[in-house]
Amino acid sequence: MGLQLRISDVWKSYDGCPILQGTSFTFDASGVYVLMGDNGTGKSTFLRICALLEKQDRGTVSYLSDGQVLPHDIALRRRVTLVLPKIGIFNKTVFDNVAYGLKLRGFEKEAVRDRVEKAVDFVGLRPKMKQPALTLSSGETQRMGIARALAINPEMLFLDEPAAFVDVKNRDIIEEVIVNLGREGETTVVLTTHDRAQAGRLSERLMVLENGLIRAD
Amino acid sequence: MGSIFQGFGKALSLILHLDAELIGIILLSLKVSGAALAVSIIAGLPLSALLGFKKFPLRGLLISILNTFMGLPPVVVGLFVYLLLSRSGPLGFMSLLYTPAAMIVAQSILAFPIVTSLSHSAISTVDPIIKQASITLGATPVQVSLTVISEARYGIMSAVIAAFGRVMAEVGAILIVGGNIAGFTRVMTTTIAMETDRGNFELALALGIILLGISLLINFALHFVQRKGTVRGR
């Protein structure tokens, strides 16, 4: 049984400027959710709160498994992940970047290799595996960010504008990866975009963030 | 001018014939500076990490003091350590004055602020997104800190190499606390100073050339490390 995420009456402001204003939403344990909204509406903030990277001012963020609310500990944090728009490249090879989360979890060398190879294959980066990650193109970097997240088999994967700064070819590859993840059904994908056409292509469930509130479209 | 060339010739001959006295002096220099560097790394790296990751009262003042102490005049450090270790000083009972240990203490004081301050600077200039990325991938707070330190590794290595260069070339402090005793506390820089005073330029020049060679190696290493660390991308 996968993770369910329940957001209830979440508020967040920066320097007195309200971003989220009592928003609520429930994510079921599968599927692809697309959160739309213009720039500056708080999509990234919402995702960061969902991924436990940031704390809300008020309201609750509850992860549930088999109906039980889970504590916000390291065990839970290791079941969800967020790919940031600027992914944060470690000054290592592509392989080591993708292997990072697995090494944190103490995986054996063989298991690390298997999982990394599977993840880079999934995003089409196998030929670049030994390359320094800092030398990748923007599109390849985004794909590596997704591979790095996929390697740890997250139950909930948040993607913040995964195809915002990439060319058409890389955008198509990333979209295909998301569609395939949705088909496999093992990971709940929640992504943000301000591109309506992309939202239409990817979304099983479309949400719109407006005036600090989320509504299902 | 002729004596300089003569000196160079003699110096090269001393180096090529691996003069025993010369080798002893070089080895002691490397031993004292290496030990001082080790002490400053053991004490300085954890402090630089603490300064990089934790906010605490007087942190800014501590950073300013460390930055200032990077330019500590060696003779002042020598005087300070001398007063500490002299017979009437608070640590006089340890009988360390005019021993290699006293020289290590003095050089550690000189190297410590360089290692700490430059390492802290390297750690604090790591892109904050690295910390966030490691959290999102499931790192514990300790693993996050280790990741940031790992990303700062080229800067930290540069700090260590810079500190080593500083202590290897230092003469004022170790002359005061070591006493330049032949076969016991005599190192390259103190020998160069002494032999120059005596007008005995051959040994001084030989040591000067070796010291320059070591400095060159250090700078090559620094350049290599910095080049390796400056792969630029997005």
Side-chain angles (χ1 to χ4, degrees):
Chain A
M1 185 75 184
L3 281 177
Q4 193 188 35
L5 170 60
R6 192 185 299 152
I7 305 290
S8 307
D9 192 27
V10 163
W11 292 73
K12 181 75 183 177
S13 61
Y14 294 115
D15 299 324
C17 177
I19 303 293
L20 301 176
Q21 302 181 63
T23 196
S24 301
F25 200 84
T26 299
F27 296 94
D28 291 330
S30 68
V32 177
Y33 292 82
V34 177
L35 176 59
M36 277 210 49
D38 294 334
N39 287 333
T41 49
K43 300 187 298 295
S44 297
T45 303
F46 179 74
L47 237 54
R48 291 164 72 88
I49 289 172
C50 288
L52 310 175
L53 188 60
E54 211 164 312
K55 202 131 180 60
Q56 67 279 15
D57 297 334
R58 274 163 53 198
T60 54
V61 174
S62 310
Y63 276 94
L64 296 100
S65 181
D66 295 329
Q68 297 287 312
V69 177
L70 303 172
H72 288 191
D73 55 10
I74 187 75
L76 173 62
R77 283 212 293 109
R78 288 186 169 179
R79 295 171 71 178
V80 302
T81 191
L82 161 68
V83 179
L84 298 156
K86 196 181 156 211
I87 69 158
I89 311 165
F90 304 125
N91 192 357
K92 294 175 176 176
T93 61
V94 171
F95 180 93
D96 286 333
N97 266 270
V98 179
Y100 178 83
L102 300 168
K103 288 181 181 169
L104 292 181
R105 288 159 175 78
F107 274 78
E108 295 291 330
K109 213 172 166 185
E110 282 304 306
V112 169
R113 174 156 291 280
D114 288 349
R115 288 236 206 164
V116 170
E117 286 177 354
K118 199 175 152 208
V120 292
D121 279 343
F122 206 80
V123 300
L125 275 183
R126 170 73 80 117
K128 307 270 180 176
M129 213 161 60
K130 288 181 181 163
Q131 196 170 311
L134 286 165
T135 61
L136 294 178
S137 72
S138 314
E140 290 166 344
T141 301
Q142 283 301 325
R143 281 152 59 195
M144 185 189 76
I146 295 171
R148 203 165 62 175
L150 292 180
I152 56 177
N153 277 354
E155 288 169 63
M156 201 159 270
L157 170 64
F158 299 96
L159 301 167
D160 193 358
E161 302 271 5
F165 308 106
V166 302
D167 57 23
V168 176
K169 180 188 148 208
N170 277 292
R171 187 202 66 194
D172 289 347
I173 295 172
I174 291 169
E175 288 185 1
E176 194 187 331
V177 167
I178 294 165
V179 169
N180 287 339
L181 280 172
R183 264 193 217 122
E184 286 182 4
E186 288 173 9
T187 306
T188 309
V189 182
V190 183
L191 68 103
T192 60
T193 183
H194 56 261
D195 179 350
R196 191 162 279 277
Q198 184 180 52
R201 285 192 296 274
L202 294 174
S203 181
E204 291 171 10
R205 297 163 219 198
L206 189 64
M207 308 171 292
V208 178
L209 182 57
E210 226 169 24
N211 302 321
L213 289 167
I214 285 180
R215 58 177 170 78
D217 210 35
Chain B
M1 196 68 183
S3 65
I4 293 178
F5 286 118
Q6 265 181 351
F8 265 113
K10 182 80 193 275
L12 282 176
S13 143
L14 277 171
I15 295 166
L16 292 174
H17 288 95
L18 295 174
D19 180 79
E21 188 190 356
L22 190 70
I23 289 172
I25 289 170
I26 294 167
L27 287 181
L28 183 64
S29 294
L30 291 171
K31 227 156 71 179
V32 168
S33 298
L37 193 66
V39 170
S40 59
I41 290 170
I42 291 166
L45 273 190
L47 179 59
S48 65
L50 188 72
L51 290 169
F53 298 124
K54 294 275 174 209
K55 304 268 183 264
F56 53 88
L58 302 180
R59 177 177 163 272
L61 180 69
L62 188 56
I63 292 169
S64 298
I65 290 171
L66 284 167
N67 287 339
T68 309
F69 278 17
M70 282 205 295
L72 267 179
V75 284
V76 175
V77 173
L79 175 65
F80 173 71
V81 176
Y82 181 92
L83 293 173
L84 272 181
L85 300 179
S86 65
R87 207 171 279 270
S88 55
L91 301 176
F93 66 94
M94 296 172 88
S95 304
L96 289 179
L97 201 59
Y98 303 130
T99 66
M103 295 155 76
I104 292 169
V105 171
Q107 290 203 337
S108 301
I109 293 172
L110 288 168
F112 172 75
I114 297 174
V115 170
T116 313
S117 190
L118 295 183
S119 298
H120 162 248
S121 172
I123 288 170
S124 47
T125 50
V126 170
D127 192 337
I129 202 89
I130 290 292
K131 188 178 166 187
Q132 294 179 11
S134 61
I135 293 170
T136 61
L137 290 164
T140 61
V142 172
Q143 288 172 328
V144 171
S145 301
L146 291 175
T147 302
V148 173
I149 290 171
S150 162
E151 286 300 300
R153 62 194 180 278
Y154 296 111
I156 292 172
M157 277 149 89
S158 298
V160 170
I161 291 168
F164 190 61
R166 158 94 158 165
V167 291
M168 274 300 286
E170 195 280 318
V171 60
I174 50 170
L175 193 59
I176 294 173
V177 302
N180 196 28
I181 302 164
F184 187 51
T185 59
R186 185 163 293 171
V187 291
M188 283 197 275
T189 50
T190 56
T191 313
I192 292 171
M194 183 189 70
E195 297 297 342
T196 306
D197 262 359
R198 286 180 179 170
N200 182 11
F201 296 119
E202 290 87 354
L203 186 57
L205 268 172
L207 286 166
I209 290 168
I210 292 164
L211 197 56
L212 271 175
I214 293 171
S215 292
L216 201 64
L217 277 178
I218 291 168
N219 277 297
F220 268 138
L222 185 62
H223 181 69
F224 177 72
V225 161
Q226 281 170 339
R227 260 191 57 185
K228 212 177 159 203
T230 48
V231 182
R232 286 282 168 251
R234 282 134 296 275

